[in-house]
Amino acid sequence: MSFEDRLGELFRNEDPHTAGPEPAAVIAGARRRRARRRAGAGAAALAVALICGATAVTAGGGRPAGNASAELEAASTPSTGAAGSTGAAAPAATGSPTPSATRTALPLSPVRQVAPGEKILVTDDTRIWFTANQRCDESRESDGSWHTSFGCRDVRSDNLEHDKPSVYAQISGNRDRSVVASFYLGPTPSRIVAFFDGKPTVATIVTTAGMKGWTGYYVVLPPMPTGDPSAHRRPAGPAIGVYDAEGKLLAENPGTASDGSDERAPQRL
């Protein structure tokens, strides 16, 4: 039985002639008070729900279902990670990048500064010297005496190329070794390299007082195979390449490999 029904029954059991409040008015007032209590409790519950929802969004937690403000905030926040089921940002790479393969750089040519005419003993049976305008050489004979091999060559000769960088090679040797000793016309190089059967050997650069626009060089190599006239095979000899500081080819003197094929200096080291 409801409260209103019980109250009405009590009033009906009382003496109707006794003075007191009107039963209908008392019941109506009780109903109004009960309605106000229900409305107040509902408003308090709604206020608690709104406060909890706002806290969740501010703290950055998961988006509450049905919360329009949380949906709007998530949509307006730019994504910082790769797309995925969790939406988590991808971790930044911390490892070093894999180095790309590079060609090992040859060392610079050593530079030898000598006095004009000073003789350089390249091997025990070969020596060379330079003046301001000439390159000269000589070799030791079996009796110990020295004799000219190629003589002296003047770098001002009209037989040489003077309109572009150019390099020359003169080879002498025996069964133990080969010696290439000559000169290069052009701006000062960083490397002069002899290539034989694909193997590079860095030459020594020689300078002396009075040289202008040219340098001498020499390099010692293994013995070269002899030519075979019957097979029309040329005598073997290295290719000589002259390079600037960045490894760019400035001048080349082609050679012949041990199998008779052309030997060439690479365009860049």
Side-chain angles (χ1 to χ4, degrees):
M1 179 182 293
S2 67
F3 173 77
E4 289 86 357
D5 294 337
R6 178 60 178 163
L7 184 61
E9 181 178 357
L10 290 174
F11 276 111
R12 285 193 298 274
N13 292 333
E14 293 291 334
D15 184 357
H17 299 290
T18 302
E22 185 67 22
V26 173
I27 292 171
R31 287 177 175 173
R32 286 193 298 271
R33 286 191 298 274
R34 186 176 180 183
R36 285 195 296 271
R37 285 195 300 272
R38 287 178 177 176
L46 178 60
V48 171
L50 290 175
I51 291 173
C52 292
T55 302
V57 172
T58 303
R63 290 181 292 175
N67 190 320
S69 62
E71 293 287 345
L72 179 60
E73 180 178 337
S76 61
T77 302
S79 173
T80 58
S85 58
T86 62
T94 57
S96 300
T98 303
S100 58
T102 56
R103 185 180 303 173
T104 302
L106 290 173
L108 300 179
S109 285
V111 178
R112 188 167 180 175
Q113 178 76 40
V114 296
E118 179 183 345
K119 293 184 178 181
I120 302 168
L121 190 65
V122 178
T123 67
D124 57 2
D125 57 5
T126 304
R127 62 189 184 188
I128 59 175
W129 65 94
F130 298 87
T131 66
N133 300 306
Q134 289 186 325
R135 170 264 184 210
C136 304
D137 67 72
E138 59 186 6
S139 59
R140 190 197 301 268
E141 301 296 331
S142 57
D143 60 1
S145 60
W146 290 91
H147 297 274
T148 299
S149 298
F150 297 101
C152 292
R153 191 168 187 185
D154 197 311
V155 298
R156 298 168 295 182
S157 171
D158 293 338
N159 293 329
L160 304 176
E161 293 185 274
H162 297 281
D163 57 344
K164 63 179 181 180
S166 55
V167 60
Y168 299 88
Q170 290 178 320
I171 304 174
S172 62
N174 52 35
R175 62 182 182 182
D176 298 321
R177 67 184 69 87
S178 297
V179 176
V180 184
S182 196
F183 54 89
Y184 156 72
L185 304 179
T188 303
S190 292
R191 297 177 183 88
I192 297 180
V193 185
F195 298 90
F196 186 69
D197 286 347
K199 180 182 179 181
T201 303
V202 176
T204 297
I205 292 174
V206 182
T207 64
T208 191
M211 279 185 170
K212 293 182 180 180
W214 73 285
T215 54
Y217 75 90
Y218 66 88
V219 59
V220 180
L221 302 171
M224 298 287 114
T226 58
D228 185 355
S230 63
H232 303 286
R233 179 175 294 178
R234 297 170 293 177
I240 305 298
V242 182
Y243 296 88
D244 65 11
E246 296 181 354
K248 180 182 177 182
L249 184 67
L250 299 175
E252 177 195 15
N253 190 313
T256 303
S258 58
D259 63 359
S261 61
D262 291 338
E263 186 90 48
R264 302 301 299 267
Q267 291 295 312
R268 185 174 290 277
L269 295 178

